[in-house]
Amino acid sequence: MIRTVESEPHASPPVLAAYSYCEAVTGRQARNFAYGIRLLPTPQRRAMSALYAFSRRVDDIGDGALAGDVKVARLEETRALLTRIREDEIDEDDTDPVAVALSHAAGHFPIPLGGLDELIDGVLMDVRGETYETWDDLKAYCRCVAGAIGRLSLGVFGTEPGARGVDRAPEYADTLGLALQLTNILRDVREDAVGGRTYLPADDLAKFGCSAGFSGPRPPEGSDFVGLVHFEVRRARALFAEGYRLLPMLDRRSGACVAAMAGIYRRLLDRIERDPEAVLRGRVSLPGREKAYVAVRGLSGLDARHVTRRTVRRRA
């Protein structure tokens, strides 16, 4: 059973300063994520910012220009820092604001910090240049870099007392993370190819004649790129449908946060489905007004009520 969050944790001035730093990082580098967490009460919003700032550090090491062996060393240093956080060895006056904020958050919310170890494992897969033959292979990677974030976030959100099926909440949070990550992979397929990375499963690429990759603004000659994208979109939609079962288990504002973030990515998926080749020409994104609409819809509880009705119909 996942504990609920009941009170606002006390934070000293050094801790508040550390949280402010993490919120600045989040607002600057994670617009979609920041859009969702602004709907949370202050303690949860701060904790989510700390989680994001630590995760961003890990991602930046993996995406940076350092040599591979240096990246591995930096990632293991970050894992050692995580161990210090887990063992409550970070002082409030520590010079690392991310460590201070995350240590405070972990002391007041039941955050499963092992999820950040999984994130580091996933980024190490990137550093090693791993590719994925099947969806099961890619799914294992996505669980590390995105499913784990869903489970970490659930530690901050908590669940509503008496919610039905609450024992499956971590599973649904994990699945929702997979849905967001697969959407990211589709959105970034050209950018990743330019960076020498391929995430889509090799057997899917072969099935649709896309094994040559995506080095240019047009699909490979003779390929069914549209068919490939539509195939992956259907897979992502199924993941969203399963992951959305989490919403009725959350309180109103946590549910709004999740619905806003997931809703932005679902609408992004709609855009990709309507014009698959757009992802080869540049980054597909949503305008601010559409993100605001999604946030209002999430705050109103429309998405959560829709999921609840659908679940009841299936059980009837």
Side-chain angles (χ1 to χ4, degrees), residues 10-12 28 50-51 70 75 88 101-102 118 140 152 161 238 256-257 262 268 279 283-284 292:
H10 170 74
S12 66
R28 185 170 63 249
L51 279 173
V70 178
L75 288 168
D88 196 24
L102 183 56
E118 293 180 57
L152 287 159
C257 172
L268 185 62
V279 299
R283 172 167 288 208
V284 179

Side-chain angles (χ1 to χ4, degrees), residues 3-78:
R3 291 182 291 157
T4 56
V5 175
E6 296 179 349
S7 61
E8 180 170 346
H10 170 74
S12 66
V15 171
L16 291 176
Y19 276 131
S20 293
Y21 174 84
C22 292
E23 289 189 284
V25 170
T26 303
R28 185 170 63 249
Q29 299 192 36
R31 294 179 182 177
N32 290 344
F33 185 83
Y35 225 95
I37 68 170
R38 71 175 61 175
L39 302 176
L40 293 171
T42 299
Q44 285 95 326
R45 188 188 70 245
R46 289 173 177 160
M48 290 294 288
S49 294
L51 279 173
Y52 176 82
F54 190 93
S55 301
R56 180 75 265 165
R57 178 178 297 181
V58 174
D59 286 341
D60 285 347
I61 294 170
D63 292 337
L66 298 171
D69 59 340
V70 178
K71 289 183 179 182
V72 170
R74 292 282 179 86
L75 288 168
E76 293 305 336
E77 289 171 5
T78 307

Side-chain angles (χ1 to χ4, degrees), residues 7-230:
S7 61
E8 180 170 346
H10 170 74
S12 66
V15 171
L16 291 176
Y19 276 131
S20 293
Y21 174 84
C22 292
E23 289 189 284
V25 170
T26 303
R28 185 170 63 249
Q29 299 192 36
R31 294 179 182 177
N32 290 344
F33 185 83
Y35 225 95
I37 68 170
R38 71 175 61 175
L39 302 176
L40 293 171
T42 299
Q44 285 95 326
R45 188 188 70 245
R46 289 173 177 160
M48 290 294 288
S49 294
L51 279 173
Y52 176 82
F54 190 93
S55 301
R56 180 75 265 165
R57 178 178 297 181
V58 174
D59 286 341
D60 285 347
I61 294 170
D63 292 337
L66 298 171
D69 59 340
V70 178
K71 289 183 179 182
V72 170
R74 292 282 179 86
L75 288 168
E76 293 305 336
E77 289 171 5
T78 307
R79 196 191 300 275
L81 175 62
L82 179 60
T83 298
R84 291 180 57 216
I85 293 170
R86 184 183 291 112
E87 296 178 356
D88 196 24
E89 296 179 354
I90 304 296
D91 295 328
E92 289 188 356
D93 59 355
D94 193 284
T95 57
D96 186 334
V98 176
V100 171
L102 183 56
S103 180
H104 184 269
H108 291 86
F109 296 94
I111 301 172
L113 290 177
L116 291 171
D117 275 306
E118 293 180 57
L119 174 63
I120 293 171
D121 291 339
V123 174
L124 282 169
M125 295 167 74
D126 282 335
V127 172
R128 293 193 294 265
E130 292 195 19
T131 56
Y132 308 97
E133 291 296 317
T134 67
W135 164 239
D136 283 342
D137 295 334
L138 178 60
K139 187 161 58 174
Y141 166 78
C142 291
R143 288 197 188 285
C144 286
V145 299
I149 302 301
R151 286 177 267 118
L152 287 159
S153 300
L154 185 61
V156 175
F157 298 146
T159 54
E160 283 284 81
R164 295 182 63 181
V166 73
D167 57 312
R168 299 191 66 183
E171 173 190 337
Y172 295 143
D174 184 282
T175 300
L176 201 52
L178 264 63
L180 269 61
Q181 185 65 20
L182 183 53
T183 303
N184 269 338
I185 287 171
L186 288 173
R187 180 196 65 188
D188 298 339
V189 66
R190 172 75 189 285
E191 181 180 329
D192 289 333
V194 171
R197 293 177 180 173
T198 300
Y199 290 101
L200 291 175
D203 59 0
D204 292 353
L205 296 175
K207 184 187 305 182
F208 293 94
C210 294
S211 296
F214 312 107
S215 59
R218 295 182 180 180
E221 188 70 26
S223 69
D224 181 11
F225 180 74
V226 171
L228 170 67
V229 171
H230 286 172

Side-chain angles (χ1 to χ4, degrees), residues 246-270:
L246 175 66
L247 292 183
M249 302 176 185
L250 305 177
D251 65 59
R252 179 172 175 265
R253 291 178 70 175
S254 295
C257 172
V258 173
M261 287 189 286
I264 287 170
Y265 278 87
R266 285 182 66 194
R267 285 173 174 267
L268 185 62
L269 200 64
D270 291 342

